[in-house]
Amino acid sequence: MYRIAICEDDLAQLNYLKNCIEDIFKEIETDAEILIFNSGKEMIKNDLEEIDIFFLDIQMDELNGMDVAKILRKNNNDAEIIFVTAIVDYIQEGYKVRAYRYLLKPVKL
């Protein structure tokens, strides 16, 4: 079973991404638990050591996705991080946290 965490403050994007992930895992007949967070602050308050994939919005209030990724890397060096953003300015900084991919908003899979 895969454990996936989505941190997105735009409800429409969050629901779309969640539905896409659920559809993909149904198609490949693999179980996945999807954890939903509306802010970076909310996400880092949880136990995230067993997460396989993080989908992080970069632009969020208080604690942005890049800051969340830096915090996550201190405890989870193996998980994949996929940034979901409308801004490509953070691509260089993403190398510091070993980002796997960037999805540009609005996400359309």
Side-chain angles (χ1 to χ4, degrees), residues 58 85-92 102 104:
I58 290 182
T85 185
I87 299 176
V88 294
D89 296 347
Y90 290 95
I91 289 177
Q92 292 290 32
Y102 281 82
L104 293 178

Side-chain angles (χ1 to χ4, degrees), residues 29-89:
E29 298 179 0
T30 302
D31 292 330
E33 176 185 6
I34 301 174
L35 306 171
I36 303 295
F37 304 97
N38 296 108
S39 72
K41 197 172 183 179
E42 176 190 359
M43 177 180 254
I44 62 168
K45 289 180 182 178
N46 288 274
D47 176 23
L48 302 170
E49 291 186 29
E50 299 294 321
I51 301 295
D52 298 298
I53 304 169
F54 291 96
F55 287 86
L56 302 175
D57 181 11
I58 290 182
Q59 288 187 297
M60 293 184 288
D61 293 334
E62 294 185 47
L63 194 59
N64 70 39
M66 192 60 68
D67 292 335
V68 171
K70 290 174 185 175
I71 293 167
L72 294 173
R73 279 293 180 231
K74 290 178 184 178
N75 297 319
N76 188 331
N77 205 32
D78 297 324
E80 300 296 350
I81 295 175
I82 300 172
F83 287 114
V84 183
T85 185
I87 299 176
V88 294
D89 296 347

